[in-house]
Short mmCIF file of all heavy atoms in Angstrom, two decimals:
data_model
loop_
_atom_site.label_atom_id
_atom_site.label_comp_id
_atom_site.label_asym_id
_atom_site.label_seq_id
_atom_site.Cartn_x
_atom_site.Cartn_y
_atom_site.Cartn_z
N ALA A 291 73.42 114.06 105.07
CA ALA A 291 72.07 113.55 105.21
C ALA A 291 71.11 114.59 105.79
O ALA A 291 69.89 114.54 105.52
CB ALA A 291 72.09 112.29 105.97
N ARG A 292 71.64 115.40 106.67
CA ARG A 292 70.79 116.38 107.45
C ARG A 292 70.85 117.73 106.76
O ARG A 292 70.32 118.70 107.30
CB ARG A 292 71.29 116.39 108.87
CG ARG A 292 71.15 115.15 109.56
CD ARG A 292 71.63 115.20 111.00
NE ARG A 292 71.38 113.90 111.72
CZ ARG A 292 71.78 113.65 112.97
NH1 ARG A 292 72.51 114.57 113.65
NH2 ARG A 292 71.56 112.40 113.48
N GLY A 293 71.39 117.84 105.51
CA GLY A 293 71.44 119.11 104.82
C GLY A 293 72.27 120.12 105.40
O GLY A 293 72.14 121.34 105.11
N LYS A 294 73.34 119.76 106.12
CA LYS A 294 74.32 120.75 106.65
C LYS A 294 75.56 120.80 105.86
O LYS A 294 75.91 119.79 105.15
CB LYS A 294 74.68 120.30 108.15
CG LYS A 294 73.54 120.43 109.10
CD LYS A 294 74.06 120.15 110.54
CE LYS A 294 72.97 120.32 111.57
NZ LYS A 294 73.50 120.09 113.00
N ALA A 295 76.26 121.88 105.91
CA ALA A 295 77.53 122.01 105.33
C ALA A 295 78.57 121.03 105.86
O ALA A 295 78.49 120.78 107.08
CB ALA A 295 78.07 123.45 105.46
N PRO A 296 79.59 120.65 105.10
CA PRO A 296 80.57 119.74 105.64
C PRO A 296 81.32 120.39 106.84
O PRO A 296 81.53 121.62 106.87
CB PRO A 296 81.51 119.52 104.45
CG PRO A 296 80.65 119.87 103.28
CD PRO A 296 79.77 120.87 103.67
N LEU A 297 81.69 119.51 107.76
CA LEU A 297 82.51 119.94 108.89
C LEU A 297 83.95 120.03 108.36
O LEU A 297 84.55 119.14 107.90
CB LEU A 297 82.48 118.93 110.01
CG LEU A 297 83.31 119.13 111.21
CD1 LEU A 297 82.99 120.47 111.93
CD2 LEU A 297 83.25 117.96 112.23
N SER A 298 84.54 121.25 108.58
CA SER A 298 85.93 121.45 108.15
C SER A 298 86.66 122.05 109.34
O SER A 298 86.32 123.11 109.83
CB SER A 298 86.00 122.47 106.96
OG SER A 298 87.27 122.64 106.49
N LEU A 299 87.63 121.27 109.87
CA LEU A 299 88.38 121.71 111.00
C LEU A 299 89.50 122.66 110.56
O LEU A 299 90.07 122.54 109.42
CB LEU A 299 89.00 120.54 111.72
CG LEU A 299 88.04 119.43 112.25
CD1 LEU A 299 88.81 118.43 113.03
CD2 LEU A 299 87.01 120.09 113.16
N PRO A 300 89.80 123.65 111.37
CA PRO A 300 90.86 124.67 110.96
C PRO A 300 92.18 124.00 110.80
O PRO A 300 92.48 122.96 111.53
CB PRO A 300 90.82 125.67 112.13
CG PRO A 300 90.21 124.94 113.18
CD PRO A 300 89.25 124.08 112.61
N ASP A 301 93.04 124.50 109.96
CA ASP A 301 94.30 123.94 109.61
C ASP A 301 95.37 124.02 110.71
O ASP A 301 96.49 123.46 110.67
CB ASP A 301 94.94 124.43 108.29
CG ASP A 301 95.26 125.93 108.37
OD1 ASP A 301 95.01 126.57 109.39
OD2 ASP A 301 95.68 126.40 107.32
N VAL A 302 94.94 124.73 111.87
CA VAL A 302 95.82 124.74 112.99
C VAL A 302 95.75 123.49 113.82
O VAL A 302 96.52 123.18 114.69
CB VAL A 302 95.67 126.02 113.95
CG1 VAL A 302 95.95 127.28 113.18
CG2 VAL A 302 94.17 126.02 114.49
N THR A 303 94.65 122.65 113.60
CA THR A 303 94.53 121.41 114.23
C THR A 303 95.17 120.35 113.38
O THR A 303 95.38 120.48 112.13
CB THR A 303 93.00 121.00 114.41
OG1 THR A 303 92.37 120.85 113.09
CG2 THR A 303 92.22 122.08 115.13
N MET A 304 95.59 119.25 113.92
CA MET A 304 96.34 118.19 113.20
C MET A 304 95.38 117.56 112.19
O MET A 304 95.76 117.27 111.00
CB MET A 304 96.88 117.24 114.21
CG MET A 304 97.90 116.22 113.49
SD MET A 304 99.33 117.01 112.66
CE MET A 304 100.19 117.73 114.10
N ILE A 305 94.14 117.23 112.65
CA ILE A 305 93.22 116.60 111.70
C ILE A 305 92.87 117.59 110.59
O ILE A 305 92.74 117.16 109.43
CB ILE A 305 91.91 116.14 112.45
CG1 ILE A 305 92.33 115.09 113.44
CG2 ILE A 305 90.88 115.66 111.45
CD1 ILE A 305 91.15 114.59 114.30
N GLY A 306 92.66 118.89 110.92
CA GLY A 306 92.37 119.82 109.89
C GLY A 306 93.46 120.05 108.86
O GLY A 306 93.22 120.11 107.70
N ALA A 307 94.77 120.00 109.37
CA ALA A 307 95.92 120.15 108.50
C ALA A 307 96.05 118.87 107.53
O ALA A 307 96.28 119.03 106.37
CB ALA A 307 97.18 120.28 109.25
N LEU A 308 95.79 117.68 108.06
CA LEU A 308 95.78 116.50 107.28
C LEU A 308 94.70 116.53 106.21
O LEU A 308 94.85 116.16 105.03
CB LEU A 308 95.71 115.23 108.11
CG LEU A 308 96.91 114.85 108.91
CD1 LEU A 308 96.53 113.73 109.89
CD2 LEU A 308 98.03 114.34 108.03
N SER A 309 93.53 116.99 106.61
CA SER A 309 92.39 117.10 105.68
C SER A 309 92.69 118.06 104.57
O SER A 309 92.35 117.88 103.42
CB SER A 309 91.08 117.53 106.47
OG SER A 309 90.73 116.59 107.50
N ALA A 310 93.34 119.18 104.97
CA ALA A 310 93.73 120.21 103.95
C ALA A 310 94.74 119.62 103.02
O ALA A 310 94.70 119.93 101.76
CB ALA A 310 94.27 121.49 104.62
N TYR A 311 95.67 118.83 103.54
CA TYR A 311 96.73 118.29 102.72
C TYR A 311 96.23 117.37 101.62
O TYR A 311 96.62 117.49 100.45
CB TYR A 311 97.69 117.57 103.59
CG TYR A 311 98.86 116.81 102.70
CD1 TYR A 311 99.89 117.52 102.26
CD2 TYR A 311 98.80 115.48 102.50
CE1 TYR A 311 100.87 116.92 101.47
CE2 TYR A 311 99.69 114.84 101.76
CZ TYR A 311 100.75 115.58 101.23
OH TYR A 311 101.74 114.96 100.47
N ILE A 312 95.32 116.48 102.00
CA ILE A 312 94.81 115.53 101.00
C ILE A 312 93.81 116.12 100.00
O ILE A 312 93.57 115.49 99.01
CB ILE A 312 94.10 114.28 101.69
CG1 ILE A 312 92.82 114.65 102.46
CG2 ILE A 312 95.13 113.55 102.65
CD1 ILE A 312 91.60 114.38 101.71
N SER A 313 93.40 117.33 100.31
CA SER A 313 92.42 117.98 99.32
C SER A 313 93.03 119.19 98.66
O SER A 313 92.25 119.90 98.02
CB SER A 313 91.16 118.42 100.20
OG SER A 313 91.49 119.30 101.17
N ASP A 314 94.33 119.49 98.84
CA ASP A 314 94.95 120.64 98.22
C ASP A 314 95.19 120.44 96.74
O ASP A 314 96.14 119.69 96.32
CB ASP A 314 96.23 120.84 98.95
CG ASP A 314 97.01 122.14 98.49
OD1 ASP A 314 96.46 122.79 97.57
OD2 ASP A 314 98.11 122.50 99.08
N GLU A 315 94.40 121.09 95.96
CA GLU A 315 94.47 120.88 94.43
C GLU A 315 95.81 121.45 93.86
O GLU A 315 96.01 121.24 92.71
CB GLU A 315 93.29 121.60 93.83
CG GLU A 315 91.91 120.92 94.24
CD GLU A 315 90.79 121.57 93.50
OE1 GLU A 315 90.41 121.25 92.34
OE2 GLU A 315 90.03 122.41 94.19
N THR A 316 96.59 122.23 94.65
CA THR A 316 97.81 122.66 94.08
C THR A 316 98.96 121.64 94.14
O THR A 316 99.93 121.79 93.50
CB THR A 316 98.26 123.94 94.88
OG1 THR A 316 98.61 123.64 96.22
CG2 THR A 316 97.15 125.07 94.90
N VAL A 317 98.67 120.58 94.89
CA VAL A 317 99.68 119.53 94.99
C VAL A 317 99.63 118.68 93.74
O VAL A 317 98.54 118.21 93.33
CB VAL A 317 99.40 118.58 96.24
CG1 VAL A 317 100.35 117.43 96.24
CG2 VAL A 317 99.49 119.45 97.55
N ARG A 318 100.76 118.49 93.14
CA ARG A 318 100.83 117.77 91.88
C ARG A 318 101.46 116.35 92.09
O ARG A 318 101.02 115.40 91.40
CB ARG A 318 101.64 118.51 90.80
CG ARG A 318 100.89 119.82 90.38
CD ARG A 318 99.52 119.44 89.75
NE ARG A 318 98.62 120.59 89.57
CZ ARG A 318 97.37 120.55 89.53
NH1 ARG A 318 96.78 119.43 89.69
NH2 ARG A 318 96.62 121.65 89.42
N ASP A 319 102.44 116.20 92.80
CA ASP A 319 103.12 114.96 93.02
C ASP A 319 102.67 114.45 94.41
O ASP A 319 103.44 114.41 95.39
CB ASP A 319 104.65 115.10 92.91
CG ASP A 319 105.40 113.68 93.07
OD1 ASP A 319 104.73 112.73 92.83
OD2 ASP A 319 106.56 113.76 93.42
N PHE A 320 101.46 113.97 94.51
CA PHE A 320 100.87 113.65 95.81
C PHE A 320 101.45 112.39 96.36
O PHE A 320 101.55 111.34 95.72
CB PHE A 320 99.38 113.48 95.65
CG PHE A 320 98.61 113.13 96.89
CD1 PHE A 320 98.51 114.03 97.98
CD2 PHE A 320 98.00 111.93 97.08
CE1 PHE A 320 97.88 113.76 99.09
CE2 PHE A 320 97.31 111.67 98.23
CZ PHE A 320 97.19 112.61 99.22
N GLN A 321 101.81 112.40 97.65
CA GLN A 321 102.43 111.32 98.38
C GLN A 321 101.73 111.29 99.77
O GLN A 321 101.29 112.26 100.28
CB GLN A 321 103.96 111.51 98.56
CG GLN A 321 104.67 111.30 97.19
CD GLN A 321 104.60 109.94 96.66
OE1 GLN A 321 104.69 108.89 97.41
NE2 GLN A 321 104.44 109.79 95.36
N PRO A 322 101.66 110.07 100.31
CA PRO A 322 101.02 109.96 101.62
C PRO A 322 101.68 110.76 102.70
O PRO A 322 102.86 111.08 102.68
CB PRO A 322 101.27 108.44 101.97
CG PRO A 322 101.30 107.81 100.63
CD PRO A 322 102.08 108.76 99.81
N MET A 323 100.94 111.21 103.73
CA MET A 323 101.38 112.12 104.76
C MET A 323 100.82 111.66 106.11
O MET A 323 99.66 111.42 106.18
CB MET A 323 100.93 113.61 104.46
CG MET A 323 101.42 114.59 105.48
SD MET A 323 103.26 114.78 105.57
CE MET A 323 103.52 115.53 104.01
N GLY A 324 101.73 111.64 107.04
CA GLY A 324 101.29 111.29 108.43
C GLY A 324 101.30 112.57 109.23
O GLY A 324 101.72 113.67 108.82
N ALA A 325 100.87 112.50 110.46
CA ALA A 325 100.79 113.57 111.44
C ALA A 325 102.26 114.15 111.65
O ALA A 325 103.12 113.40 112.01
CB ALA A 325 100.09 113.23 112.74
N ASN A 326 102.48 115.44 111.52
CA ASN A 326 103.72 116.09 111.81
C ASN A 326 103.43 117.55 111.93
O ASN A 326 102.54 118.14 111.35
CB ASN A 326 104.76 115.83 110.80
CG ASN A 326 104.51 116.40 109.38
OD1 ASN A 326 104.93 117.56 109.18
ND2 ASN A 326 103.86 115.68 108.59
N PHE A 327 104.30 118.21 112.84
CA PHE A 327 104.08 119.65 113.02
C PHE A 327 104.49 120.50 111.82
O PHE A 327 104.01 121.66 111.76
CB PHE A 327 104.92 120.10 114.24
CG PHE A 327 104.29 119.71 115.52
CD1 PHE A 327 105.02 119.03 116.45
CD2 PHE A 327 102.96 119.99 115.83
CE1 PHE A 327 104.50 118.60 117.68
CE2 PHE A 327 102.37 119.55 117.10
CZ PHE A 327 103.16 118.87 118.01
N GLY A 328 105.13 119.90 110.85
CA GLY A 328 105.55 120.72 109.64
C GLY A 328 104.36 121.06 108.78
O GLY A 328 104.47 121.96 107.95
N ILE A 329 103.19 120.46 108.89
CA ILE A 329 102.00 120.70 108.06
C ILE A 329 101.17 121.79 108.75
O ILE A 329 100.11 122.24 108.16
CB ILE A 329 101.28 119.45 107.76
CG1 ILE A 329 100.60 118.79 108.92
CG2 ILE A 329 102.12 118.46 106.94
CD1 ILE A 329 99.70 117.58 108.69
N LEU A 330 101.47 122.20 109.98
CA LEU A 330 100.64 123.18 110.65
C LEU A 330 101.21 124.58 110.33
O LEU A 330 102.41 124.73 110.16
CB LEU A 330 100.68 122.94 112.16
CG LEU A 330 100.18 121.73 112.70
CD1 LEU A 330 100.21 121.75 114.26
CD2 LEU A 330 98.78 121.40 112.25
N PRO A 331 100.32 125.63 110.25
CA PRO A 331 100.90 126.94 110.09
C PRO A 331 101.83 127.30 111.25
O PRO A 331 101.57 126.96 112.33
CB PRO A 331 99.56 127.80 110.18
CG PRO A 331 98.40 126.86 109.97
CD PRO A 331 98.92 125.54 110.44
#
């Protein structure tokens, strides 16, 4: 609404990693994902 670019958290954060997971276009067999350290770099 304010004309700003979307807020994107780095993938080293848990929220950033989850956000990256649900938007990763390379994923083909998409399944739900909860917080876990395995999705962090």
Side-chain angles (χ1 to χ4, degrees):
R292 297 175 178 177
K294 293 185 175 183
L297 175 64
S298 182
L299 299 184
D301 63 0
V302 296
T303 65
M304 191 58 67
I305 295 176
L308 286 169
S309 301
Y311 175 79
I312 65 99
S313 60
D314 185 355
E315 295 181 82
T316 66
V317 174
R318 292 300 167 207
D319 185 21
F320 182 64
Q321 292 293 319
M323 179 66 67
N326 67 89
F327 285 126
I329 63 175
L330 300 184

